[in-house]
Amino acid sequence: MRKSRAALALLFALTIAMVMILPAIAQLAPSKRSAAAVVQRQPSETIAQASAPTAKLPSVVILATGGTIAGTGATSTTTVGYQAAKLPVTALITAVPELKKIANVTGEQVLQIASENMTNEGLLTLADRVNVVLAKPDVDGVVITHGTDTIEETAYFLNLVTKSQKPVVIVGSMRPATALSADGPLNLYNAVAIAGSPAAVGKGVLVSLNDQISAAREVAKANTTSLNTFQTPDLGYLGYVELGKPYFYRTSTRKHTTATPFTVTPSTKLPQVDIIYGYGNNSPVLLNAAVADGAKGIVYAGVGNGSISVQLESAAIAARKKGVIIARSARAGSGRVVRNGEEKDDENDFIVADNLNPQKARLLLMLGLTITSDTKALQEMFYTY
């Protein structure tokens, strides 16, 4: 009897235990299935994250004009006496495959010349193409490959007539593409990096070679063959480019691009402006010849502070009385030409070029004369742009 009672008690206890445990097991089962489902989904989620698109690359258009950067030599050691403007823009882009990592790059061949052969018509053609390309909403910036001989002139002209805040970077090289240690490929890579950078927006037209960034208004070629030829003697570089990133330390305060009144088209007629060089024992023959040839303006690259010799002064005064604008610049390479400093500018109705070198003063005077021939207004332009 006692054993029977014990068996019944054990059976009752087991029944109670099962009643309590089974619901708990039922609750646990879905959780395990959910966990399994999570485990199964993890690989697909990881793949989705890995295949997500990377940050959008900027779109940069390379407008090629020739120059040494597109030049070829007879041998790998030919660094002078090579043929400029031989390679097309496609070859320049193909030579730098790393470009695809920093920008979506396309190219156009606008001109194919050595830059000493740049003409007013060439400047107008290039300026028009720059403005057309920059007006496209899917373009973030423009790079212009160019010969170094007149790179500073083209850069300053574009600085005055480009109607966009988007970056425009002009680049060249001192060695042809076939030379040992050719500098063109890295210069081009750096220029594209600058043109695609938001940091370059609104800074005007830039010139970049040898890892340096300069303002178009301030830069000048200072050495015939050195890789470090481009200098800004008065004010220094704007910054540097390193590992595909520009670093700016200052900006130019002179108005440029969208803040200028100068608008050109390929059919614009730029007035003739000539440069007369100042030197000891010079004569008025060349100045008089320029006036006779139809010059509307003369930039005098004077000695010192833009001084005009007594041999030339009377011819300059006579030219001004005929309506020719006389602008005093300096051959020194840096520094401001002071109004009424060495000449009676007010009395003779001359203007001064501020710190623009003669070749850039010519460009500003040409553009200024498309708007006005008033010397006071022209003088203000030289102090503004």
Side-chain angles (χ1 to χ4, degrees):
M1 180 65 93
R2 289 180 179 175
K3 290 181 178 180
S4 178
R5 290 178 179 175
L8 287 172
L10 178 60
L11 181 60
F12 180 75
L14 288 173
T15 301
I16 296 299
M18 290 298 291
V19 170
M20 297 178 63
I21 291 172
L22 283 174
I25 293 173
Q27 291 177 355
L28 285 173
S31 297
K32 289 180 180 178
R33 284 195 298 270
S34 298
V38 170
V39 171
Q40 290 173 357
R41 284 198 300 267
Q42 281 178 345
S44 62
E45 289 173 355
T46 302
I47 292 171
Q49 291 172 359
S51 62
T54 56
K56 181 179 179 292
L57 292 176
S59 293
V60 175
V61 178
I62 298 176
L63 302 179
T65 69
T68 297
I69 194 170
T72 60
T75 70
S76 62
T77 56
T78 302
T79 55
V80 294
Y82 51 84
Q83 288 186 298
K86 299 298 291 184
L87 299 176
V89 65
T90 51
L92 301 184
I93 295 173
T94 302
V96 192
E98 295 82 1
L99 290 175
K100 66 181 67 173
K101 298 179 182 179
I102 60 172
N104 295 316
V105 175
T106 57
E108 297 180 22
Q109 196 74 47
V110 180
L111 302 170
Q112 187 71 311
I113 60 172
S115 70
E116 67 267 24
N117 299 324
M118 181 63 78
T119 62
N120 288 354
E121 292 74 23
L123 290 174
L124 293 171
T125 298
L126 180 59
D128 180 69
R129 194 61 195 144
V130 168
N131 281 322
V132 168
V133 170
L134 290 178
K136 297 179 179 179
D138 59 342
V139 172
D140 297 298
V142 161
V143 168
I144 299 167
T145 58
H146 198 287
T148 59
D149 284 357
T150 59
I151 204 170
E152 64 196 83
E153 295 176 53
T154 297
Y156 184 54
F157 184 81
L158 293 176
N159 197 58
L160 295 172
V161 301
T162 298
K163 297 308 171 188
S164 175
Q165 291 283 310
K166 295 177 183 178
V168 177
V169 184
I170 305 191
V171 65
S173 73
M174 292 302 292
R175 294 173 180 166
T178 52
L180 289 172
S181 301
D183 52 324
L186 183 56
N187 284 348
L188 182 60
Y189 177 85
N190 286 342
V192 170
I194 298 167
S197 172
V201 173
K203 288 185 170 59
V205 175
L206 305 171
V207 174
S208 179
L209 289 88
N210 206 35
D211 302 334
Q212 298 150 346
I213 308 171
S214 298
R217 186 187 183 278
E218 301 161 2
V219 72
K221 189 172 185 178
N223 188 284
T224 56
T225 58
S226 171
L227 298 186
N228 199 38
T229 182
F230 284 96
Q231 302 291 321
T232 52
D234 277 336
L235 302 168
Y237 303 117
L238 297 186
Y240 301 92
V241 58
E242 180 181 286
L243 298 176
K245 182 179 179 180
Y247 295 87
F248 289 94
Y249 296 86
R250 69 174 186 87
T251 58
S252 176
T253 61
R254 291 300 178 96
K255 292 182 178 179
H256 54 73
T257 56
T258 58
T260 78
F262 310 117
T263 301
V264 297
T265 69
S267 61
T268 297
K269 299 299 181 184
L270 295 172
Q272 178 181 338
V273 175
D274 293 314
I275 300 172
I276 302 300
Y277 199 79
Y279 56 93
N281 198 47
N282 62 348
S283 76
V285 172
L286 295 179
L287 190 151
N288 290 336
V291 173
D293 191 48
K296 302 303 180 184
I298 297 289
V299 174
Y300 185 70
V303 297
N305 189 14
S307 301
I308 302 177
S309 66
V310 293
Q311 300 98 312
L312 217 65
E313 188 176 44
S314 58
I317 294 172
R320 177 68 199 108
K321 289 179 178 179
K322 293 179 181 178
V324 179
I325 302 297
I326 304 296
R328 293 194 303 115
S329 182
R331 70 179 197 181
S334 63
R336 299 179 69 246
V337 174
V338 181
R339 186 169 179 83
N340 296 313
E342 298 295 330
E343 300 295 330
K344 299 175 181 178
D345 296 309
D346 289 345
E347 181 179 324
N348 296 324
D349 202 25
F350 296 163
I351 63 176
V352 296
D354 193 57
N355 70 335
L356 286 178
N357 61 27
Q359 52 269 37
K360 291 182 182 179
R362 169 184 167 269
L363 295 167
L364 180 54
L365 185 53
M366 277 198 311
L367 288 169
L369 284 170
T370 65
I371 296 175
T372 182
S373 58
D374 179 74
T375 52
K376 289 184 174 59
L378 291 169
Q379 182 64 79
E380 188 59 30
M381 290 179 184
F382 276 89
Y383 290 147
T384 304
Y385 310 112

